[in-house]
């Protein structure tokens, strides 16, 4: 087995970049939609054969065992080449939690199935009335014999219609004194009576989000991960790295590149007002990249990220929105056109980019919540 961490960062980046550049299918690069597993299964098979499916997992569990520095490089190169993350909820979320909190039996059973994508996972966190304030969740799981009986509803469940299993936060003690208490982390099969999935069609016409309804659905007690009523602590265990990943500068950088290509083709740079607004957007992107680099250096030094990492998500998502708004303006009367607009050899779907940018300030913890975190935990302001 290769000790990737023994390589220099430059050597490792060259290795990863060369593989993605040569092997990732051209037709899958920078997809404007989230694909179903069947569309990318052949790529997953290739990654699995190379042992690169789970870069952050310890090698003993089938992962690459990358440290924080190498992991950032891996993800940066994925983004550079437009490599779709695929159906990675199992890899990114449930697998690490099983590794950290699961029993040996759970590790032996679930981890190989996650790596092979024999089981495809979706995340059951958000509910109506419990999105950014997730501790308000109301979905119940009551113990009956050797099973949990689940009743309630999840919403904005990404690709639930393409999943075989769901990992979810449920309320197992409704009488707990604090709302963060009495929550447990369960695994459950989707293909069973009592589970209904309804897709949600977005403004762009995609159906990647779903509602999931549970009406006396069941899962074995053996599918409880960690301790009963301690799921909230587990759900927070992976947030630091998720927050830096969701705050990656690539979101705004890619949009800025699209805007520049489109605007040059449309002659928008002849307008001094547009040039000024583009320059401001470009400076915002550069400033954000510098801030991201600071947090990335903290991870490379093995330091734990603080609450101030929330700045990354706020900055990049709002910058992304401003860039897509400017792209709509640059398109003029074509800004409301559905589908790609061709300018020279470039095809840019300006409306799809605009729609894609709208929810970014909401998912992963709304920017209002992130600002509250900064005000309390970083600035010390009263709640």
């Amino acid at each position: 087995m290769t000790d990737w961490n023994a390589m220099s960062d430059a050597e490792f980046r060259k290795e990863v970049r060369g593989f993605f550049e040569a092997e990732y299918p051209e037709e899958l690069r920078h997809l404007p939609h989230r694909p179903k597993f069947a569309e990318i299964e052949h790529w997953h098979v290739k990654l699995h054969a190379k042992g690169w499916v789970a870069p952050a997992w310890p090698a003993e569990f089938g992962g690459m065992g990358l440290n924080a520095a190498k992991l950032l490089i891996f993800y940066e190169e994925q983004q550079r080449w437009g490599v779709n993350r695929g159906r990675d909820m199992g890899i990114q979320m449930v697998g690490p939690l099983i590794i950290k909190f699961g029993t040996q039996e759970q590790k032996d059973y679930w981890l190989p199935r996650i790596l092979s994508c024999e089981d495809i996972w979706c995340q059951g966190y958000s509910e109506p009335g419990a999105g950014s304030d997730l501790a308000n969740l109301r979905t119940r799981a009551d113990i009956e014999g050797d099973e949990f009986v689940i009743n309630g509803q999840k919403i904005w469940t990404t690709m639930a219609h393409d999943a075989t299993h769901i990992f979810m936060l449920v309320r197992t003690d409704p009488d707990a004194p604090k709302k963060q208490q009495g929550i447990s982390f369960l695994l459950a099969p989707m293909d069973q009576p009592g589970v209904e999935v309804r897709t949600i069609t977005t403004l762009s016409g995609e159906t990647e989000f779903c509602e999931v309804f549970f009406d006396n659905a069941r899962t074995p007690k053996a599918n409880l991960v960690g301790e009963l009523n301690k799921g909230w602590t587990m759900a927070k265990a992976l947030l630091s790295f998720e927050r830096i990943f969701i705050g990656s500068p690539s979101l705004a950088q890619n949009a800025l590149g699209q805007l520049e290509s489109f605007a040059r083709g449309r002659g928008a740079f002849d307008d001094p007002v547009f040039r000024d607004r583009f320059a401001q957007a470009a400076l915002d992107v550069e400033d954000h990249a510098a801030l991201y680099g600071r947090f990335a250096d903290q991870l490379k030094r093995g330091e734990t990220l603080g609450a101030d990492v929330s700045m990354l998500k706020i900055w990049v998502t709002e910058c992304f929105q401003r860039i897509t708004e400017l792209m709509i303006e640059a398109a003029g009367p074509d800004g409301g056109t559905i589908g790609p607009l061709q300018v020279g050899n470039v095809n840019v779907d300006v409306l799809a980019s605009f729609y894609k940018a709208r929810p970014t300030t909401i998912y992963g913890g709304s920017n209002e919540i992130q600002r509250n975190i900064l005000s309390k935990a970083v600035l010390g302001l009263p709640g």
Side-chain angles (χ1 to χ4, degrees):
M1 295 181 64
T2 304
D3 183 359
W4 302 108
N5 296 322
M7 288 184 174
S8 70
D9 286 355
E11 289 174 325
F12 180 70
R13 189 181 293 277
K14 181 179 179 181
E15 175 82 15
V16 174
R17 180 177 294 180
F19 176 73
F20 288 149
E21 181 180 13
E23 300 294 337
Y24 190 64
E26 188 71 35
E27 68 274 13
L28 295 180
R29 297 186 182 190
H30 301 287
L31 286 178
H33 66 281
R34 194 184 300 264
K36 288 190 172 182
F37 181 67
E39 296 179 61
I40 55 173
E41 183 175 7
H42 58 297
W43 170 245
H44 181 88
V45 169
K46 182 175 288 189
L47 271 187
H48 190 225
K50 192 172 178 64
W52 281 21
V53 169
W57 289 20
E60 64 185 287
F61 296 112
M64 295 176 70
L66 301 185
N67 61 29
K70 297 296 191 295
L71 192 57
L72 282 173
I73 290 170
F74 189 90
Y75 287 144
E76 286 168 359
E77 291 303 318
Q78 276 191 325
Q79 292 164 352
R80 177 191 299 272
W81 297 104
V83 178
N84 191 278
R85 288 173 53 189
R87 301 309 317 282
D88 66 352
M89 283 291 187
I91 299 296
Q92 298 284 1
M93 302 292 289
V94 71
L97 285 172
I98 291 174
I99 289 171
K100 186 170 184 177
F101 298 103
T103 65
Q104 189 60 49
E105 290 77 11
Q106 288 172 334
K107 294 172 186 176
D108 292 342
Y109 180 78
W110 293 111
L111 297 182
R113 298 169 66 95
I114 292 171
L115 288 173
S116 67
C117 266
E118 182 176 351
D119 297 329
I120 301 174
W121 293 85
C122 60
Q123 180 191 69
Y125 280 11
S126 295
E127 300 181 6
S132 295
D133 192 4
L134 185 57
N136 280 333
L137 65 87
R138 299 172 61 187
T139 295
R140 289 274 300 270
D142 299 306
I143 296 175
E144 287 188 8
D146 292 330
E147 295 180 312
F148 286 98
V149 180
I150 306 167
N151 286 280
Q153 177 188 358
K154 298 294 181 179
I155 197 168
W156 309 121
T157 309
T158 303
M159 301 301 286
H161 57 310
D162 194 38
T164 62
H165 290 75
I166 186 169
F167 61 96
M168 54 196 307
L169 291 177
V170 294
R171 193 162 296 282
T172 46
D173 182 3
D175 299 320
K178 295 183 179 180
K179 62 184 182 180
Q180 290 86 355
Q181 300 171 346
I183 293 173
S184 298
F185 191 95
L186 291 184
L187 315 177
M190 296 287 284
D191 184 15
Q192 63 163 304
V195 177
E196 180 186 358
V197 178
R198 301 177 190 170
T199 57
I200 300 171
T201 303
T202 65
L203 285 172
S204 58
E206 302 293 341
T207 55
E208 65 183 64
F209 299 118
C210 302
E211 297 176 280
V212 185
F213 298 87
F214 301 91
D215 182 9
N216 290 323
R218 294 177 177 269
T219 195
K221 285 173 64 177
N223 286 351
L224 169 71
V225 182
E227 296 181 51
L228 187 69
N229 300 326
K230 300 294 185 182
W232 185 254
T233 301
M234 293 174 52
K236 296 191 299 181
L238 302 176
L239 284 181
S240 288
F241 194 83
E242 183 186 33
R243 280 181 288 178
I244 193 171
F245 182 75
I246 206 171
S248 167
S250 64
L251 188 68
Q253 288 170 340
N254 292 340
L256 187 71
Q258 277 194 326
L259 172 60
E260 182 175 9
S261 298
F262 184 77
R264 290 195 184 283
R266 285 289 178 117
F269 282 100
D270 295 337
D271 180 355
V273 175
F274 177 85
R275 288 201 306 270
D276 181 69
R277 294 179 64 190
F278 180 88
Q280 183 60 60
L283 289 172
D284 286 343
V285 171
E286 287 299 315
D287 285 344
H288 175 269
L291 181 65
Y292 174 86
R294 196 190 85 190
F295 286 108
D297 287 341
Q298 283 183 245
L299 280 179
K300 291 174 184 178
R301 293 193 297 267
E303 300 173 10
T304 301
L305 297 180
D308 53 344
V309 73
S310 292
M311 289 189 288
L312 289 179
K313 195 262 183 179
I314 295 171
W315 196 331
V316 75
T317 54
E318 293 181 4
C319 185
F320 179 36
Q321 287 186 347
R322 290 194 296 271
I323 291 170
T324 61
E325 289 162 8
L326 190 54
M327 199 181 305
I328 289 284
E329 293 181 30
D334 294 325
T337 301
I338 297 174
L341 298 175
Q342 185 166 359
V343 180
N345 295 324
V346 179
N347 284 318
V348 179
D349 194 331
V350 297
L351 195 57
S353 296
F354 178 80
Y355 287 150
K356 181 182 177 182
R358 296 309 97 192
T360 59
T361 53
I362 300 171
Y363 65 57
S366 74
N367 285 14
E368 289 78 9
I369 296 291
Q370 303 302 319
R371 283 187 165 87
N372 286 341
I373 292 172
L374 291 173
S375 68
K376 295 176 184 178
V378 179
L379 301 178
L381 298 177

